[in-house]
């Protein structure tokens, strides 16, 4: 039975949730510390590059309609494609899950659940595994519900946070020395622009996989004010120099919001709680992606066993994370793999297919 095709709106919702899961924590710190001013410039550069990468990835998905990216790569490049794409993507997704769960655990422990052990908070991965085990359809349905809760809260908090900002602290707005090009943190900040990689499992759910990049583009354009806000709101409140010394600039900004008419005093807790919905949904997609990739290599393996193994390995790995500094270093180490998967590999597959088509037409 052919899976029900998803609408552009549903793909849009999925992309929004993935962007929300990785935009508010380490990302502001990476951008603010990558340049001295003109923070919007590195943000927009990566946004434009990611649109190119999403287009390339969609072109790769369109090579064999109705197939996931892993099956397409196996058909185009054989086992070499599995070695060059499937295994690196599995490794990258696993590392990303460990970083995301560990980062959120640290933040929750520092802000709202001070006495709760980390091994309990890390258990959020099992919620994602349970959601992923229901199939991609259950992830999509849950995304629609989560989006209706988390996205409006993010917008409301963003608007409230604008009330005590000072525009002069963002100067110079248009000037840039290009110093970010030599900063490793600039390249590590590409982490939030990988949302289109999760389209790898969406081929069989799309009638026109070659146009999947449009849902990513729409989600990115819609979410860009929040991404800019995650960087600029701390800068316009504390100044650039002080913001560089904050590990979690946007969380610190949330702590400063006060209005006498607000019923809820701890808006930081509200923000983190709503952000957990982004996280759960993104983790569920990643777990589903890993299981789908492994099934291409080992088709006979049991799905339920793979979901349990993925959850168990990820959970055990989060318990071994020693410090916040390790999380930041992991983002840096992941950068070459991330850029390879975002741009180089889909370009190679598309070019290989084009060359093969031309050789066939000539013969």
């Amino acid at each position: 039975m052919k899976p029900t095709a998803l609408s552009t709106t549903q793909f849009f919702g999925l992309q929004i949730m993935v962007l929300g899961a990785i935009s508010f924590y380490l990302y502001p710190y990476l951008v603010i510390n990558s340049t001295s001013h003109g923070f919007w410039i590195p943000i927009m550069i990566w946004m434009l590059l990611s649109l190119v990468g999403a287009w390339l990835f969609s072109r790769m998905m369109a090579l064999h309609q109705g197939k996931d990216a892993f099956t397409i790569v196996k058909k185009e490049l054989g086992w070499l494609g599995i070695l060059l794409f499937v295994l690196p993507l599995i490794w990258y997704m696993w590392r990303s899950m460990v970083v995301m769960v560990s980062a959120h655990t640290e933040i929750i422990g520092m802000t709202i659940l001070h006495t709760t052990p980390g091994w309990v908070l890390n258990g959020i991965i099992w919620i994602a595994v349970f959601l992923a085990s229901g199939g991609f359809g259950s992830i999509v349905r849950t995304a629609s519900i989560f989006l209706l809760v988390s996205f409006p809260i993010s917008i409301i908090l963003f608007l409230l946070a604008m009330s005590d900002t000072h525009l002069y602290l963002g100067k110079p707005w248009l000037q840039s020395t290009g110093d970010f090009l030599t900063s490793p943190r600039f390249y590590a900040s590409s982490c939030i622009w990988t949302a289109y990689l999760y389209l790898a499992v969406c081929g069989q759910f799309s009638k026109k996989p070659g146009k999947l990049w449009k849902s990513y583009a729409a989600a990115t354009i819609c979410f860009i004010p929040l991404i800019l806000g995650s960087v600029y709101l701390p800068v316009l409140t504390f100044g650039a120099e002080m913001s560089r010394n904050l590990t979690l600039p946007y969380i610190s900004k949330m702590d400063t919001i006060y209005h006498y008419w607000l019923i809820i005093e701890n808006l930081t807790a509200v923000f983190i709680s709503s952000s957990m919905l982004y996280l759960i949904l993104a983790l569920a997609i990643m777990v589903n992606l890993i299981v789908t990739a492994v099934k291409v290599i080992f088709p006979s393996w049991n799905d339920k066993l793979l979901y349990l193994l993925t959850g168990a390995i990820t959970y055990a790995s989060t318990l071994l994370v020693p410090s916040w500094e390790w999380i930041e270093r992991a983002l840096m180490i992941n950068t070459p793999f991330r850029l390879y998967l975002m741009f180089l590999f889909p370009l190679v597959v598309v070019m290989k297919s084009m060359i093969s088509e031309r050789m066939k037409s000539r013969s």
Side-chain angles (χ1 to χ4, degrees), residues 11 187 229:
F11 282 120
Y187 299 98

Side-chain angles (χ1 to χ4, degrees), residues 72-239:
I72 292 171
V73 168
K74 188 176 180 180
K75 285 190 174 184
E76 289 290 327
L77 299 177
W79 283 96
L80 179 63
I82 289 177
L83 292 174
L84 294 179
F85 176 71
V86 179
L87 293 180
L89 188 60
I90 291 173
W91 184 88
Y92 174 74
M93 289 297 168
W94 164 72
R95 291 270 297 186
S96 297
M97 286 198 295
V98 172
V99 168
M100 290 170 66
V101 172
S102 300
H104 283 75
T105 296
E106 288 283 340
I107 293 164
I108 293 171
M110 288 187 291
T111 54
I112 57 178
L113 296 177
H114 308 287
T115 60
T116 305
W119 62 269
V120 175
L121 298 177
N122 289 345
I124 192 172
I125 185 62
W126 292 111
I127 301 176
V129 169
F130 175 77
L131 176 58
S133 64
F136 201 76
S138 73
I139 295 176
V140 173
R141 289 189 292 272
T142 305
S144 301
I145 299 172
F146 282 6
L147 184 65
L148 292 175
V149 176
S150 57
F151 194 53
I153 290 176
S154 297
I155 293 174
I156 291 169
L157 292 177
F158 168 77
L159 295 174
L160 288 172
M162 293 178 65
S163 59
D164 61 342
T165 55
H166 308 280
L167 293 179
Y168 67 86
L169 293 174
K171 295 181 178 180
W173 291 94
L174 301 178
Q175 182 181 348
S176 176
T177 61
D179 54 345
F180 55 86
L181 294 172
T182 61
S183 171
R185 290 187 175 91
F186 166 68
Y187 299 98
S189 69
S190 61
C191 60
I192 76 160
W193 305 107
T194 59
Y196 63 84
L197 290 179
Y198 308 102
L199 295 174
V201 295
C202 296
Q204 59 182 321
F205 300 96
S206 174
K207 293 180 179 179
K208 298 179 179 179
K211 295 185 177 181
L212 283 171
W213 68 274
K214 292 185 177 181
S215 61
Y216 172 80
T220 301
I221 293 170
C222 183
F223 209 83
I224 195 66
L226 294 178
I227 294 175
L228 289 166
S230 72
V231 174
Y232 268 104
L233 288 177
V235 171
L236 298 181
T237 302
F238 309 117

